[in-house]
């Protein structure tokens, strides 16, 4: 997934801008997809490859800042580079605060844009890798039995096998057996590794807001 050829999406209602950017992007070795409106871009299914979005602020339907909110919610692995012919400071601040990696005012040099795209694609690659790791961790946790999850929770809280057995009303030998299965299924090399995995799982499950 992270090794796939990156895709650079361009949303701009000016056909000459779309065509010139598509040529520039392809010459740099990336795939390019262009769209004249936000709605057409949103109807495009998500790609499972490193990507970024080069986005004009002024669009005919949904404006760039509104599209940015939609992308942040649904495609967090897709960084956004804004381009505009009439950028102002409040607009730039709003875009950057919402997570844009760059805000370029037309006309800008090719190298400036290509540098911003390289940075955005690297961020996307990192985000996709993290997402894949998190998904694998969740799958490992989902493979645990209810009893194994209980043992894991007590072990990572710092209890010894004997104490875990006392809490659950099972023998120390049984705890050791469950603990061994937990370590194997979670692919943990050490207790510290398991504690770290538990912390990451808690972070993923924490309500956003």
């Amino acid at each position: 997934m992270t090794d796939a050829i990156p895709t650079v999406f361009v949303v701009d209602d000016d056909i000459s801008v779309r065509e010139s950017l598509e040529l520039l992007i392809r010459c740099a070795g990336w795939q390019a997809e262009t769209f004249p409106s936000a709605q057409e871009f949103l109807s495009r299914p998500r790609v499972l490859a490193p990507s970024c979005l080069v986005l004009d602020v002024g669009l005919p339907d949904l404006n760039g800042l509104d599209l940015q909110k939609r992308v942040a919610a649904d495609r967090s692995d897709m960084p956004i580079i804004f381009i505009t012919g009439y950028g102002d400071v409040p607009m730039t601040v709003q875009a950057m605060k919402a997570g844009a990696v760059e805000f370029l005012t037309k006309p800008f040099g090719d190298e400036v844009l290509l540098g911003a795209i390289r940075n955005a694609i690297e961020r996307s690659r990192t985000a996709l890798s993290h997402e894949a790791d998190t998904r694998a961790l969740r799958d490992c946790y989902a493979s645990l039995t209810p009893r194994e999850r209980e043992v894991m929770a007590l072990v990572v809280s710092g209890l010894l096998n004997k104490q875990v057995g006392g809490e659950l009303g099972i023998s120390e030998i049984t705890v050791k057996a469950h603990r061994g299965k937990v370590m194997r299924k979670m692919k943990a090399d050490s207790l510290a590794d398991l504690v770290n995995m538990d912390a990451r799982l808690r972070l993923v499950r924490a309500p956003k807001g």
Side-chain angles (χ1 to χ4, degrees):
M1 184 167 62
T2 55
D3 294 332
I5 296 173
T7 301
V8 180
F9 296 95
V10 177
V11 181
D12 195 304
D13 60 340
D14 185 333
I15 188 168
S16 63
V17 171
R18 291 200 306 275
E19 288 177 347
S20 64
L21 290 184
E22 181 174 7
L23 184 62
L24 179 67
I25 290 160
R26 290 190 188 282
C27 285
W30 302 307
Q31 296 191 67
E33 290 190 31
T34 66
F35 304 85
S37 70
Q39 294 297 349
E40 285 188 50
F41 167 73
L42 287 170
S43 67
R44 165 72 163 87
R46 181 184 171 190
V47 295
L48 287 175
S51 64
C52 71
L53 173 59
V54 177
L55 176 59
D56 187 21
V57 175
L59 292 170
D61 48 0
L62 197 64
N63 75 37
L65 294 171
D66 288 333
L67 178 57
Q68 181 185 25
K69 292 174 191 169
R70 299 275 284 272
V71 171
D74 301 333
R75 313 182 196 199
S76 57
D77 56 278
M78 183 185 287
I80 295 175
I81 298 162
F82 275 104
I83 55 174
T84 181
Y86 57 93
D88 56 37
V89 172
M91 188 188 293
T92 306
V93 169
Q94 184 182 343
M96 298 304 279
K97 275 188 172 178
V101 295
E102 193 61 79
F103 197 103
L104 304 175
T105 304
K106 301 171 187 172
F108 44 79
D110 289 352
E111 280 308 315
V112 173
L113 178 61
L114 291 174
I117 291 173
R118 283 188 202 98
N119 176 35
I121 285 171
E122 204 46 54
R123 287 193 190 199
S124 177
R125 191 174 272 119
T126 301
L128 283 171
S129 178
H130 178 72
E131 193 179 301
D133 289 346
T134 301
R135 194 161 49 244
L137 189 60
R138 278 173 158 169
D139 289 346
C140 289
Y141 187 74
S143 73
L144 300 182
T145 65
R147 176 62 90 195
E148 287 164 358
R149 290 182 192 185
E150 288 175 334
V151 169
M152 176 175 164
L154 293 170
V155 165
V156 297
S157 73
L159 296 187
L160 301 172
N161 289 345
K162 189 174 182 179
Q163 294 169 313
V164 173
E167 285 280 334
L168 299 177
I170 57 179
S171 71
E172 192 175 347
I173 292 172
T174 304
V175 172
K176 281 182 181 175
H178 284 310
R179 185 170 174 163
K181 286 180 182 175
V182 168
M183 297 295 282
R184 275 197 305 279
K185 288 184 179 181
M186 294 301 295
K187 298 173 185 169
D189 297 324
S190 64
L191 176 58
D193 207 9
L194 193 65
V195 170
N196 183 38
M197 289 175 174
D198 181 70
R200 284 168 57 198
L201 284 165
R202 286 174 190 274
L203 205 61
V204 170
R205 292 196 296 262
K208 291 181 172 66

